[in-house]
């Protein structure tokens, strides 16, 4: 196996995107994504069984398209990487089973990796396929020794510190209830905006007055925050369930009074509450932990106000913000392949084929450890 510039196939199926990506070292060759979003719209959210069946239908076409676009064959692949958690159990099972089948059929080593850490790995990729130099000729991107990652999506809202992307990831703070994207979807339903809620609220908020209504910022009271010397239990954590409830009560008050509901103002005020508390706590964590570089990732990274306010506050704090292209912020196979390549280049042993998907895989577990030596070393 080529450990200096490994050709790695990445498979992602943690939610409603079927992603297959291929990288050579840190060069992105292809990123093929098939989304089942349209199949979930009428239900107002992702239905796990529908997502799992969609992965079954989409995987082979996505794999074939990725190999064709990258102009490589399965025989040329050095290693396979697959998301083994966290995510929807059934959806993860489809991707993991597909990856294991490929590993057994081809004899290639298999890496079971963490979905959240993969969002950080995508920041190590060079420019788009076809726009860079020959493999290995371009300067490799390197993460600073003490980098932060703010991950904001429909299922996750976390601030991480990464000392080593292959074996040293620390969770600094996370949501204790709803993720930010989940809160967007629930509030959009309350406002009658449909699903997915994030893009709808982002568009409508531009027409509203964010200062018209003051919604609560969860876990910002002194009893939760504490001080830098004596941090509170939830100093770097978020909570969005109370904000969702506050929006619902606000709408009920307008309706009870017989007044028209100012949907644009509510959307703008809700969005401001979300991005205000996310960015303020993330920057606080970075400043207090000596983090000077932050990567923003996850589907909600596409939100215009989040990107704007994160940039403003990072700049004011002397923190360098890194934001991958939007199609690499959302779930995709390229990020999985990118982290897999980092593991190969670091000499980390493959996971083998005995691991099981872990829907609640902790972020501190970058990859599942090898449990079956024979298959773990296959193809090495």
């Amino acid at each position: 196996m080529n450990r200096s510039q490994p050709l790695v196939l990445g498979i992602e199926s943690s939610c409603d995107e079927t992603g297959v990506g291929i990288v050579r070292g840190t060069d992105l060759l292809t990123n093929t994504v098939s989304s089942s979003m349209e199949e979930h719209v009428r239900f107002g959210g992702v239905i796990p069984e529908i997502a799992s069946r969609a992965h079954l239908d989409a995987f082979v076409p996505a794999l074939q398209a990725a190999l064709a676009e990258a102009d490589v064959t399965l025989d040329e692949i050095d290693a396979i990487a697959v998301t083994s958690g966290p995510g929807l159990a059934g959806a993860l099972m489809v991707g993991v089973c597909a990856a294991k089948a490929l590993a057994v059929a081809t004899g290639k080593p298999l890496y079971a990796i963490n979905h959240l850490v993969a969002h950080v790995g995508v920041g190590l990729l060079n420019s788009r396929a076809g726009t860079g130099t020959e493999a290995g000729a371009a300067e490799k991107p390197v993460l600073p020794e003490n980098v932060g990652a703010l991950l904001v999506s429909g299922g996750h809202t976390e601030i991480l510190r990464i000392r080593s992307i292959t074996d040293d990831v620390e969770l600094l703070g996370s949501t204790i209830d709803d993720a930010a994207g989940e809160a967007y979807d629930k509030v959009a339903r309350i406002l009658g905006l449909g699903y997915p809620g994030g893009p709808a609220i982002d568009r409508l908020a531009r027409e509203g007055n964010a200062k018209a209504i003051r919604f609560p910022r969860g876990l910002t009271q002194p009893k939760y925050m504490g001080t830098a010397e004596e941090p509170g239990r939830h100093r770097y954590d978020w909570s969005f369930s109370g904000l969702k409830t506050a929006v619902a009560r606000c709408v009920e008050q307008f309706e009870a009074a017989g007044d028209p509901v100012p949907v644009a103002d509510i959307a703008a005020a809700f969005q401001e509450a979300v991005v205000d508390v996310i960015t303020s706590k993330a920057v606080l964590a970075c400043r207090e932990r000596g983090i000077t570089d932050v990567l923003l990732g996850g589907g909600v990274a596409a939100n215009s106000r989040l990107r704007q306010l994160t940039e403003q506050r990072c700049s004011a704090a002397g923190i360098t913000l890194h934001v991958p292209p939007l199609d690499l912020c959302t779930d995709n196979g390229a990020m999985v392949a990118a982290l897999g390549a980092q593991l190969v280049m670091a000499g980390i042993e493959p996971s083998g084929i005995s691991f099981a998907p872990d829907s609640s895989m902790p972020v501190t577990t970058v990859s599942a450890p090898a449990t079956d030596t024979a298959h773990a070393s296959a193809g090495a």
Side-chain angles (χ1 to χ4, degrees):
M1 178 167 56
N2 183 350
R3 288 194 177 273
S4 62
Q5 287 289 308
L7 187 63
V8 179
L9 172 73
I11 299 169
E12 156 63 23
S13 68
S14 64
C15 191
D16 61 335
E17 284 97 3
T18 307
V20 179
I22 300 175
V23 305
R24 180 177 279 112
T26 55
D27 292 331
L28 174 60
L29 303 185
T30 184
N31 182 36
T32 301
V33 178
S34 174
S35 176
S36 60
M37 176 72 72
E38 292 301 320
E39 299 180 47
H40 304 282
V41 169
R42 65 191 179 100
F43 299 102
V46 175
I47 306 301
E49 180 65 18
I50 292 177
S52 300
R53 291 179 180 274
H55 288 309
L56 284 170
D57 293 336
F59 177 71
V60 171
L63 174 63
Q64 293 172 332
L67 291 170
E69 184 174 342
D71 194 23
V72 299
T73 66
L74 281 175
D75 287 341
E76 296 175 283
I77 295 294
D78 290 310
I80 300 168
V82 62
T83 295
S84 63
L88 301 176
L92 289 169
M93 182 68 74
V94 176
V96 166
C97 288
K100 288 182 177 182
L102 285 175
V104 171
T106 62
K108 307 296 183 181
L110 177 61
Y111 290 83
I113 68 169
N114 191 299
H115 170 88
L116 298 179
V117 184
H119 273 296
V120 183
V122 79
L124 286 167
L125 290 175
N126 286 319
S127 56
R128 314 296 300 168
T131 61
T133 58
E134 292 299 319
E139 182 179 353
K140 294 181 181 179
V142 178
L143 283 177
E145 291 184 358
N146 190 28
V147 66
L150 176 58
L151 306 180
V152 190
S153 70
H156 306 281
T157 306
E158 287 99 356
I159 180 73
L160 314 176
R161 174 163 63 180
I162 298 96
R163 294 187 181 91
S164 168
I165 196 170
T166 59
D167 60 12
D168 192 349
V169 176
E170 178 185 3
L171 177 65
L172 299 180
S174 65
T175 177
I176 65 171
D177 41 56
D178 292 348
E182 185 180 5
Y184 267 89
D185 288 337
K186 290 179 177 179
V187 167
R189 190 178 304 122
I190 293 170
L191 298 178
L193 300 179
Y195 175 84
I201 289 179
D202 193 17
R203 287 191 299 269
L204 188 60
R206 297 167 194 169
E207 304 172 13
N209 178 8
K211 297 181 180 180
I213 304 166
R214 173 73 181 184
F215 285 125
R217 274 67 168 162
L219 300 183
T220 58
Q221 298 91 337
K223 65 179 180 179
Y224 298 120
M225 296 294 293
T227 64
E229 293 73 25
E230 297 184 14
R233 180 183 177 187
H234 295 298
R235 186 170 180 80
Y236 305 143
D237 292 333
W238 296 278
S239 171
F240 299 108
S241 63
L243 172 59
K244 172 202 66 181
T245 302
V247 172
R249 298 293 86 81
C250 178
V251 171
E252 289 173 358
Q253 288 171 7
F254 279 104
E255 292 176 338
D259 297 328
V261 178
V263 178
D265 287 347
I266 293 175
F270 161 77
Q271 176 161 276
E272 195 64 21
V274 172
V275 301
D276 179 26
V277 72
I278 285 178
T279 55
S280 63
K281 287 206 168 197
V283 169
L284 176 66
C286 291
R287 290 178 60 184
E288 293 184 348
R289 299 303 179 97
I291 295 170
T292 57
D293 288 78
V294 172
L295 181 136
L296 176 62
V300 184
N303 180 275
S304 62
R305 181 56 179 154
L306 177 62
R307 293 163 71 92
Q308 180 187 48
L309 193 56
T310 306
E311 175 62 42
Q312 290 175 357
R313 288 183 167 170
C314 282
S315 178
I319 298 170
T320 301
L321 178 65
H322 306 270
V323 185
L326 288 182
D327 61 333
L328 294 181
C329 288
T330 55
D331 297 344
N332 61 83
M335 70 183 195
V336 179
L339 180 55
Q342 291 296 317
L343 295 170
V344 172
M345 291 187 287
I348 304 296
E349 285 298 308
S351 303
I353 60 170
S354 294
F355 69 91
D358 183 357
S359 59
S360 57
M361 188 176 190
V363 71
T364 50
T365 302
V366 177
S367 62
T371 55
D372 53 322
T373 306
H375 283 104
S377 59

